[in-house]
Amino acid sequence: MTGLLAQALNGVQYGLLLFLISSGLTLIFGVMGVINLAHGSLFMVGAYIAYAVVTATGSLWVALPCAVVGGIVVGAALERVLFRRFYKRDHLDQVLLTFALILLFEEARSMLLGNDFHSVATPAALAVSVPMLGGFSYSAYRLAVLVACLLVAAAMFLVIERTRVGSAIRAAAEKPEMVDLLGLDASRIHMLVFAVGTALAMLAGALAAPLQSVYPNMGDGFLIISFVVVVVGGVGSVAGAFWGALLIGLVDTMAKAYLPFASGLAVYAIMAAVLLWRPTGLFARA
Amino acid sequence: MVSPGNVSRRTFSAGMAALGAAGALGRPAVAQGAALKVGLMLPFSGTYAALGDSIATAFELYLAEKGGKLGGRGVQVIRLDDESDPSKAVQNVNRLLSRDKADVLVGTVHSGVVMAMVQASRERGVPLIIPNAGNVAATRDLCAPTVFRTSFTNWQPAYGMGRALAAQGVKRAAWVSWDYAAGNEAAEGFRDGLKSGGAELVKTLLLPFPETNFQPILAQLAGLDIEAAGAFFAGGGAVQFVRDYASAGLAARIPLSGSGFLTEGTLRAQGAAAEGVRTALHYGDGLDNARNAAFRAAFKDRAKREADVYAVQGYDAGQLLAAGLEATKGDVDADKVLVAAMEKARIDSPRGAFTLSQSHNPVQNIYLREAKGGENVVIGVAAPLLADPGTGCKMAAT
């Protein structure tokens, strides 16, 4: 029983990290209709920013805002220069663009920081182990990441459900024509969503760096699992991304622990089941 | 496709080759037939670039010590970057054999890439010396008269670790690794090693390669009734696993051990989390023998950095090739004589002397090491003169 609780905690923690990545993916997909394959690379860029900044300054507390600000800048620039030319084009063109971005990000990473794996030190204040159930400890940093993810999720809900900007984003995601009817500036909403989505992915990368270690192509696995989360939760729905990420995090963790032979398959089985039962995802508003 | 006779390899201009050898080694070479061409197919870029560089540098160090000649014949080294990419492996082997006319192949690090080299060696009868890749098949099911290895099988270090744990009185242990060939081969070694000392492998925990979310596995380990855990990870995965293991608070209750790669070249990144982790490998820091001291000094002089286990394997590839060529006076076409001499060779390695098993894999000491202050300090011998079982090796006559 204690083992089960420990695994549930692992699943929730993993799921919340997935939420940070997939919330940006689902918003960009929902509002602009772009399949951003480079989202995993942005996660990697965030992790490498954490590595570079921690190496230079010794502090993750400096690295986290750097990743967020870097994400906003990179996201806004990508939207302005590249993506907005692709909204009206078909998905194949978008896939080609974003795949090219993956190659560019990886090559830039290789040239700037090399191909080695690196580990990023956890902040000294959080480097202690907290005893949990079943003779198992959790590092304080891992718990802090869990709390940070929850705070980000709460902030996103507040913004999206309670503010004017949020309702404009919701309108853009659900009824794009409403944005024009309400006299809102769609192009600014697009840039905002893209910048925030990118910043979330890079924040996730920076938060994960001390947990995950930093290595080439580290975003690939996260990209695929994030697409699963988006499909399960429903495209464009932040609430869907939240509950979908928790579900996928728990299923993946439990499968690894209790059904190791099926651990690679479990999340995809869930996705297939959801697609059969509710093809638009669990939280899509029909 | 290619005739077994090696006439074409011989037609290369003798003068050119001698020039190449002389230029490469900075000393006059006496042309005595064409230089022997050794194709070093290794990763010189990508994740394993450092390993490839160690192996190549040490191989060339040995050549330089011998004045650029093996068995009286000048040797020209051709380096080819295999990028650790299995999809380019066949093409790369063909480039070395057909375009560069290599007489001998030395390589490589990646288990998938080495299979193309093994196949080429089997089909064309070109001698191959494997200076790292540890997949058991190369010296088990797919063994061949011309295929030799100076490194290890994945089974060997893990066997040593299992045996050492059993000798310490451990009765029940678990194994953790990625679910891929190397991890599974090591798991078998660990199990066999434990069994040799009357201990039991009670659980094998696998996760998909190259997943690094170790939390579910660690929570499971915490709930097992075991006295020790063994692991096989390498590179970034090894760094992460050792750190996560420590922060999960398991290290005190269930000591972590593993194949040597768990802490090889990763100690700096693992930091304090690795302190006290015991591993088994055919090499380690502080091995006290004159051969090792001389080798390490010479390597450091040439490479401007410390030697590692990969350098030892590359150096010994040179020694093994030399043993064969001395018997044939530098002739690689005298297949039977060459193979027989290499089979019988006693290699005076920095790791300690070793001979080859019937399936052409080193019969070597597996040392027990403990991570202390950034070094894998040798604290004993986990398994003396250990041979891989070589199961399934049916060596056809040359």
Side-chain angles (χ1 to χ4, degrees):
Chain A
M1 194 57 207
T2 54
L4 196 64
L5 285 175
Q7 296 295 13
L9 184 63
N10 284 331
V12 168
Q13 188 260 317
Y14 179 51
L16 285 171
L17 189 62
L18 284 181
F19 165 72
L20 281 198
I21 309 170
S22 40
S23 57
L25 195 63
T26 202
L27 274 179
I28 290 169
F29 200 0
V31 174
M32 280 86 92
V34 173
I35 301 165
N36 185 13
L37 294 182
H39 207 68
S41 299
L42 298 168
F43 172 80
M44 176 201 74
V45 171
Y48 271 89
I49 286 178
Y51 161 69
V53 174
V54 170
T55 307
T57 68
S59 170
L60 193 71
W61 307 121
V62 182
L64 292 175
C66 285
V68 173
V69 172
I72 289 171
V73 171
V74 169
L78 282 176
E79 202 276 339
R80 195 54 18 135
V81 178
L82 290 173
F83 279 87
R84 68 174 37 188
R85 296 166 209 279
F86 281 78
Y87 295 150
K88 294 262 163 8
R89 298 170 72 162
D90 70 15
H91 283 319
L92 185 61
D93 290 353
Q94 296 171 354
V95 164
L96 278 175
L97 169 73
T98 56
F99 185 70
L101 284 174
I102 294 180
L103 300 179
L104 287 170
F105 279 123
E106 287 293 341
E107 199 57 36
R109 185 264 312 141
S110 175
M111 280 157 57
L112 292 172
L113 290 160
N115 297 322
D116 282 342
F117 57 87
H118 299 283
S119 67
V120 175
T122 35
L126 295 173
V128 291
S129 284
V130 183
M132 291 280 153
L133 302 159
F136 179 68
S137 299
Y138 237 59
S139 77
Y141 181 72
R142 204 173 271 279
L143 292 171
V145 168
L146 193 152
V147 173
C149 290
L150 276 175
L151 288 176
V152 171
M156 281 185 76
F157 280 122
L158 280 180
V159 170
I160 288 187
E161 299 293 333
R162 297 283 158 82
T163 66
R164 279 184 59 82
V165 180
S167 55
I169 291 172
R170 268 184 295 148
E174 284 156 28
K175 290 267 185 314
E177 60 277 11
M178 276 301 285
V179 177
D180 294 333
L181 287 176
L182 290 171
L184 297 167
D185 183 354
S187 109
R188 282 179 59 188
I189 293 176
H190 289 166
M191 196 164 82
L192 175 73
V193 167
F194 212 96
V196 170
T198 304
L200 285 170
M202 286 172 59
L203 173 65
L207 281 172
L211 297 175
Q212 208 69 44
S213 74
V214 175
Y215 51 94
N217 303 311
M218 63 183 288
D220 294 5
F222 278 98
L223 175 73
I224 293 165
I225 203 85
S226 297
F227 270 117
V228 173
V229 168
V230 169
V231 169
V232 167
V235 170
S237 164
V238 174
F242 183 78
W243 296 113
L246 282 182
L247 175 68
I248 293 299
L250 281 167
V251 166
D252 189 57
T253 302
M254 292 300 170
K256 279 202 186 93
Y258 300 110
L259 298 167
F261 57 93
S263 66
L265 196 75
V267 295
Y268 301 103
I270 294 287
M271 181 173 79
V274 167
L275 283 175
L276 284 173
W277 175 49
R278 294 193 65 161
T280 50
L282 295 176
F283 284 79
R285 293 172 219 204
Chain B
M1 202 167 79
V2 172
S3 70
N6 293 321
V7 185
S8 61
R9 290 192 217 148
R10 287 299 178 76
T11 50
F12 190 81
S13 150
M16 274 289 290
L19 262 178
L25 298 157
R27 57 172 23 243
V30 182
Q32 184 191 356
L36 180 86
K37 295 186 151 198
V38 177
L40 286 190
M41 183 166 144
L42 291 164
F44 294 112
S45 65
T47 315
Y48 291 135
L51 282 62
D53 183 62
S54 277
I55 293 167
T57 304
F59 185 88
E60 286 164 357
L61 166 66
Y62 181 75
L63 263 188
E65 285 175 358
K66 293 284 151 185
K69 285 183 170 190
L70 299 180
R73 185 169 172 194
V75 173
Q76 183 193 355
V77 170
I78 304 158
R79 285 186 178 209
L80 182 81
D81 181 8
D82 67 28
E83 300 168 47
S84 293
D85 185 348
S87 71
K88 295 181 190 159
V90 172
Q91 187 191 339
N92 282 332
V93 175
N94 284 334
R95 268 171 68 185
L96 275 177
L97 293 179
S98 303
R99 187 192 68 184
D100 301 326
K101 311 273 186 263
D103 301 296
V104 176
L105 291 176
V106 174
T108 185
V109 171
H110 188 286
S111 296
V113 177
V114 90
M115 293 321 289
M117 304 183 77
V118 168
Q119 194 176 349
S121 177
R122 288 168 65 95
E123 283 173 3
R124 304 195 193 184
V126 183
L128 165 67
I129 301 176
I130 304 170
N132 188 65
N135 41 338
V136 297
T139 53
R140 286 193 189 173
D141 314 15
L142 295 176
C143 73
T146 50
V147 175
F148 291 84
R149 176 148 53 196
T150 56
S151 49
F152 58 90
T153 62
N154 292 322
W155 182 91
Q156 280 180 307
Y159 179 94
M161 196 63 238
R163 197 181 130 125
L165 287 176
Q168 285 165 26
V170 167
K171 290 287 172 217
R172 297 165 61 82
W175 178 258
V176 188
S177 72
W178 280 314
D179 189 7
Y180 70 145
N184 296 327
E185 290 167 6
E188 279 176 32
F190 192 65
R191 183 199 62 202
D192 294 350
L194 286 169
K195 207 188 278 177
S196 77
E200 190 192 349
L201 178 63
V202 295
K203 186 94 181 169
T204 302
L205 300 169
L206 301 173
L207 72 169
F209 178 83
E211 172 78 65
T212 52
N213 177 14
F214 297 114
Q215 290 300 115
I217 297 274
L218 294 173
Q220 253 195 314
L221 273 179
L224 291 174
D225 174 24
I226 48 173
E227 299 140 82
F232 181 98
F233 293 104
V239 172
Q240 200 55 38
F241 183 75
V242 170
R243 284 169 40 133
D244 286 357
Y245 197 90
S247 66
L250 292 173
R253 197 159 51 87
I254 311 170
L256 178 62
S257 65
S259 281
F261 307 101
L262 192 63
T263 56
E264 202 63 33
T266 56
L267 283 174
R268 207 164 48 89
Q270 285 159 338
E275 205 69 5
V277 172
R278 288 190 172 186
T279 57
L281 199 66
H282 50 289
Y283 193 63
D285 293 313
L287 261 189
D288 189 18
N289 69 61
R291 188 77 174 105
N292 190 36
F295 165 72
R296 294 192 74 96
F299 185 90
K300 193 171 184 183
D301 193 42
R302 192 179 178 89
K304 310 294 172 221
R305 61 186 171 85
E306 291 294 336
D308 51 21
V309 63
Y310 310 105
V312 172
Q313 293 165 176
Y315 190 78
D316 292 343
Q319 297 206 68
L320 180 60
L321 181 60
L325 290 172
E326 267 151 33
T328 63
K329 304 274 179 287
D331 185 1
V332 279
D333 297 334
D335 281 353
K336 281 188 176 149
V337 183
L338 184 83
V339 166
M342 285 168 77
E343 280 177 339
K344 282 201 288 284
R346 185 175 182 280
I347 305 297
D348 186 16
S349 167
R351 74 187 89 167
F354 71 84
T355 54
L356 293 178
S357 67
Q358 285 190 340
S359 56
H360 296 176
N361 191 66
V363 178
Q364 57 193 342
N365 284 338
I366 301 296
Y367 300 102
L368 183 63
R369 305 115 41 95
E370 187 171 317
K372 280 181 204 161
E375 286 198 325
N376 288 300
V377 179
V378 172
I379 56 170
V381 177
L385 297 181
L386 179 68
D388 184 86
T391 319
C393 172
K394 293 186 199 73
M395 199 82 80
T398 317

